[in-house]
């Protein structure tokens, strides 16, 4: 998985479908990122930040009791143990450092449940930048605690009152706002979506997950490489970062989507937020509202590289239901002492189902990215259990 072809294309997906001023701003981000990524000074500063602030490298944990029950050998890449509790911090610390290098003084971000907003507010505070976070009015009502955390970290939270007043509209509003602020602000997008260069830039920023896991698997597994590599997919950043570490191996790549947010498994070609990819749409081509118990999987589409990997057959995309995810979360809590984020529980739910129906052959080695911890979901779970 290298840099995409001309004009940010992954096959027929990707691109930069944005107003003139944003096309120019995206070009600047791409150039600055290429330069920074090739600069050992930048890479060193970033590696240090990820180590001393975010807690990297994260462990690879064998799930012993669960493996025994399932008849496979399951290893968990523990992004839940990072500062702020999910892989999102990998992306935002890097983008914040890049913004500072570009002389920007402010980060703009969109957020759904607030996890990317909290991570952005955290990175901004750490580096002395301002943060403006766009959030749908409905999400603000549902996620009061994260709104408070962002404000405590010094970020401005802007309520979005258009459309369904959720993530899709918050993203549109953040991009609109960036049009008038490209001179002093960097748009810190939260997944492998949006106009070029974001899909490949964010994947490169998340490949630390896959690269670390590759080294850890080499040390831990007899074969050196797992038979399966599994991750949940919202926009697709934790999966893209994980897959990147194993792209050149025979490992089978599996992305697990929410039944109600299955862009890769069930989306159709369209353009949204500056990018051509697969989106959930009605017969008129209107983007439809996704539904998932896991807020991080509540995006109506998927990043362009995942769409391309699907077409190539290099990765497979499957779906699980809310109930399966909740069941998997409880099972992990009781067998391994880990309460996962409901997003991550989707990946596990597929592993459990596939081990049961033979889709995962007995004895397979499975690397699964545990993208985040479940603290944020306890009130949701409390209602159900
Ligand atoms: C945001 C989030 C996701 C989904 O985002 P991707 O870009 O698909 O990785 C998954 N898990 C957790 C814990 C999240 O916070």
């Amino acid at each position: 998985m290298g840099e995409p072809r001309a004009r940010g294309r992954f096959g027929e997906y990707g691109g930069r479908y944005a107003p003139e001023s944003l096309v120019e701003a995206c070009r600047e981000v791409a150039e600055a990122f290429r330069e920074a990524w090739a600069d050992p000074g930048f890479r060193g500063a970033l590696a240090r930040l990820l180590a001393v602030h975010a807690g990297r490298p994260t462990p690879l944990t064998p799930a012993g009791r669960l493996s025994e029950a399932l008849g496979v050998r399951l290893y968990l890449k523990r992004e839940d143990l990072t500062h702020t509790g999910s892989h999102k911090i990998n992306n935002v610390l890097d983008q914040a450092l890049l913004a500072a290098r570009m002389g920007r003084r402010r980060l703009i971000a969109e957020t759904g449940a607030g996890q990317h907003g909290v991570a952005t507010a955290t990175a901004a505070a750490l580096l002395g930048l301002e943060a403006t976070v766009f959030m749908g009015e409905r999400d603000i009502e549902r996620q009061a605690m994260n709104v408070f955390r962002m404000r405590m970290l010094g970020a401005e939270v802007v309520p979005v009152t258009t459309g369904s007043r959720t993530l899709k509209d918050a993203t549109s509003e953040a991009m609109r706002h960036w049009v008038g602020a490209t001179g002093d602000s960097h748009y810190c997008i939260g997944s492998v979506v949006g106009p070029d260069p974001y899909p490949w830039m964010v994947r490169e920023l998340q490949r630390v997950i896959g690269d670390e896991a590759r080294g850890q698997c080499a040390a831990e597994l007899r074969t050196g490489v797992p038979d399966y590599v599994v991750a949940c997919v919202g926009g697709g950043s934790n999966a893209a970062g994980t897959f990147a570490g194993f792209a050149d191996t025979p490992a089978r790549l599996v992305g697990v989507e929410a039944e109600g947010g299955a862009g890769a498994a069930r989306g159709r070609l369209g353009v949204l937020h500056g990018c051509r990819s697969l989106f959930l749409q009605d017969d008129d081509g209107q983007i439809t509202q996704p539904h998932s118990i896991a807020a991080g999987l509540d995006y109506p589409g998927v990043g362009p590289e995942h769409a391309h990997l699907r077409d190539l057959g290099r990765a497979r995309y499957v779906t699980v239901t809310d109930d399966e995810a909740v069941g998997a979360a409880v099972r992990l809590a009781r067998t391994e002492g880990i309460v996962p984020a409901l997003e991550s529980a989707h990946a596990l739910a597929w592993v459990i189902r596939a081990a049961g129906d033979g889709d995962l052959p007995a004895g397979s080695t499975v690397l699964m990215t545990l993208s985040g911890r479940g603290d944020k979901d306890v009130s949701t779970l409390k209602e159900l259990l």
Side-chain angles (χ1 to χ4, degrees):
M1 297 200 249
E3 222 183 282
R5 306 213 172 272
R7 284 178 291 137
R9 296 283 177 178
F10 298 92
E12 61 175 315
Y13 309 104
R16 202 180 267 165
Y17 296 86
E20 198 68 41
S21 57
L22 287 195
V23 168
E24 184 48 38
C26 288
R27 203 177 288 139
E28 281 175 36
V29 172
E31 203 167 296
F33 174 65
R34 257 191 219 102
E35 211 179 271
W37 213 227
D39 172 2
F42 181 85
R43 297 290 282 260
L46 179 58
R48 189 174 154 72
L49 260 190
L50 288 173
V52 303
H53 195 77
R56 301 211 75 86
T58 58
L60 182 74
T61 303
R65 298 210 314 127
L66 187 55
S67 292
E68 200 170 311
L70 296 177
V72 299
R73 286 171 58 206
L74 175 63
Y75 294 84
L76 306 172
K77 180 60 176 158
R78 300 290 304 280
E79 296 304 297
D80 60 314
L81 294 180
T82 57
H83 178 49
T84 69
S86 85
H87 68 290
K88 292 215 166 65
I89 194 75
N90 304 328
N91 171 37
V92 298
L93 277 181
D94 304 21
Q95 286 202 50
L97 207 57
L98 183 70
R101 182 182 165 108
M102 292 174 76
R104 307 291 191 254
R105 60 172 184 83
R106 188 168 67 120
L107 299 178
I108 299 170
E110 78 293 337
T111 198
Q115 293 148 265
H116 176 58
V118 168
T120 301
T122 300
L126 179 69
L127 296 181
L129 301 169
E130 291 168 33
T132 305
V133 181
F134 289 83
M135 189 169 185
E137 211 173 35
R138 271 188 63 202
D139 289 331
I140 286 181
E141 286 160 20
R142 293 189 288 190
Q143 303 288 341
M145 195 57 77
N146 273 342
V147 175
F148 173 76
R149 282 166 82 194
M150 286 184 268
R151 290 186 171 141
M152 171 139 183
L153 288 158
E156 180 194 8
V157 180
V158 181
V160 173
T161 55
T162 49
S164 57
R165 297 174 290 135
T166 58
L167 177 60
K168 173 168 76 70
D169 312 287
T171 307
S172 305
E173 206 54 50
M175 290 183 76
R176 209 167 301 145
H177 179 77
W178 192 33
V179 172
T182 53
D184 70 349
S185 301
H186 172 73
Y187 180 28
C188 180
I189 206 162
S191 190
V192 286
V193 300
D196 177 60
Y198 287 96
W200 67 267
M201 180 172 79
V202 175
R203 181 251 286 153
E204 285 304 287
L205 301 182
Q206 291 290 4
R207 78 180 298 143
V208 65
I209 305 172
D211 287 346
E212 278 179 17
R214 177 82 178 269
Q216 290 165 322
C217 286
E220 186 82 16
L221 304 181
R222 202 165 10 89
T223 52
V225 173
D227 300 319
Y228 290 82
V229 173
V230 185
C232 66
V233 174
S237 66
N238 86 90
T242 306
F243 292 176
F246 296 88
D248 62 345
T249 75
R252 294 191 173 88
L253 310 178
V254 182
V256 186
E257 300 188 292
E259 181 70 29
R266 281 203 259 299
R268 286 188 290 136
L269 192 61
V271 172
L272 181 68
H273 300 144
C275 177
R276 192 170 143 103
S277 193
L278 298 171
F279 299 99
L280 300 175
Q281 301 168 50
D282 64 18
D283 290 340
D284 297 325
Q286 291 295 314
I287 305 292
T288 55
Q289 183 67 18
H291 290 287
S292 171
I293 194 169
L297 304 185
D298 233 342
Y299 188 73
V302 72
E305 188 168 26
H306 286 293
H308 187 48
L309 291 173
R310 183 198 77 162
D311 286 3
L312 294 175
R314 179 63 188 94
R316 192 181 144 198
Y317 295 86
V318 296
T319 65
V320 308
T321 64
D322 286 356
D323 287 350
E324 285 178 298
V326 170
V330 173
R331 186 122 183 231
L332 190 68
R334 295 188 182 167
T335 53
E336 303 298 330
I338 299 169
V339 177
L342 282 171
E343 291 83 359
S344 324
H346 282 70
L348 184 65
W350 179 79
V351 172
I352 292 172
R353 189 213 293 155
D357 68 15
D359 204 354
L360 262 178
S364 302
T365 48
V366 181
L367 168 74
M368 192 200 103
T369 295
L370 194 72
S371 55
R373 60 174 170 247
D375 306 33
K376 68 182 180 58
D377 296 318
V378 288
S379 59
T380 306
L381 287 166
K382 191 160 160 275
E383 306 261 296
L384 295 170
L385 300 174

